[in-house]
Amino acid sequence: MAEVTQQQVVEYIKGISVLELSKLVKTLESELGVSAATAMPMAMPMGGQGGGAAAPAEEKTEFTVTLTEVGTNKINVIKVVREVTSLGLKEAKDLVEAAPKAVKEAVSKDEAETIKQKLADAGATVEVK
């Protein structure tokens, strides 16, 4: 069997759809027993505390709503993206087709949850960070 280069893998991934990429990631996670979830950085102790406990984490007040997968009803998802942003039809369509992509950044927790629910109702998969 011929050896596959890293560049060949990258070119293959660039040529497949988001849905195919999602399936590939799930297969790799299953086959290799790993997770593609991003790791959270560990809290470091403050320098002036002499190695004491880590500083308490600040409560997050701004969130980013990310469209991770469009689903089967792309038109409804585009309509919701237009509703929650001030984008025109072409820009909203481009955003949806570029998923995974941030739909709205630096929003409150309530607004992020509302947007997430609207997109989920339209058939999309959404992540709030």
Side-chain angles (χ1 to χ4, degrees):
M1 179 161 66
E3 187 174 321
V4 177
T5 67
Q6 184 176 6
Q7 185 60 36
Q8 288 171 316
V9 172
V10 170
E11 290 301 318
Y12 170 75
I13 290 172
K14 286 168 58 177
I16 63 176
S17 71
V18 175
L19 183 58
E20 291 170 320
L21 180 59
S22 174
K23 289 178 183 176
L24 174 63
V25 169
K26 288 177 181 153
T27 301
L28 288 171
E29 287 176 335
S30 170
E31 290 285 324
L32 302 175
V34 296
S35 173
T38 57
M40 296 297 290
M42 296 188 62
M44 299 299 290
M46 299 297 266
Q49 293 181 344
E58 291 183 32
E59 187 174 340
K60 193 170 181 177
T61 58
E62 293 185 344
F63 297 85
T64 299
V65 181
T66 304
L67 176 66
T68 56
E69 217 173 286
V70 177
T72 57
N73 203 340
K74 184 165 72 170
I75 293 172
N76 283 349
V77 174
I78 292 170
K79 288 178 182 179
V80 172
V81 168
R82 289 191 68 203
E83 176 187 333
V84 298
T85 65
S86 59
L87 297 176
L89 180 59
K90 182 181 180 341
E91 293 81 7
K93 180 179 179 279
D94 291 346
L95 184 146
V96 168
E97 290 179 345
K101 187 87 170 165
V103 175
K104 205 150 188 194
E105 298 178 343
V107 295
S108 69
K109 185 174 185 175
D110 292 341
E111 185 178 358
E113 288 301 319
T114 301
I115 294 169
K116 179 181 178 180
Q117 187 60 47
K118 286 181 179 182
L119 286 166
D121 290 346
T125 305
V126 184
E127 184 174 275
V128 175
K129 294 181 188 176

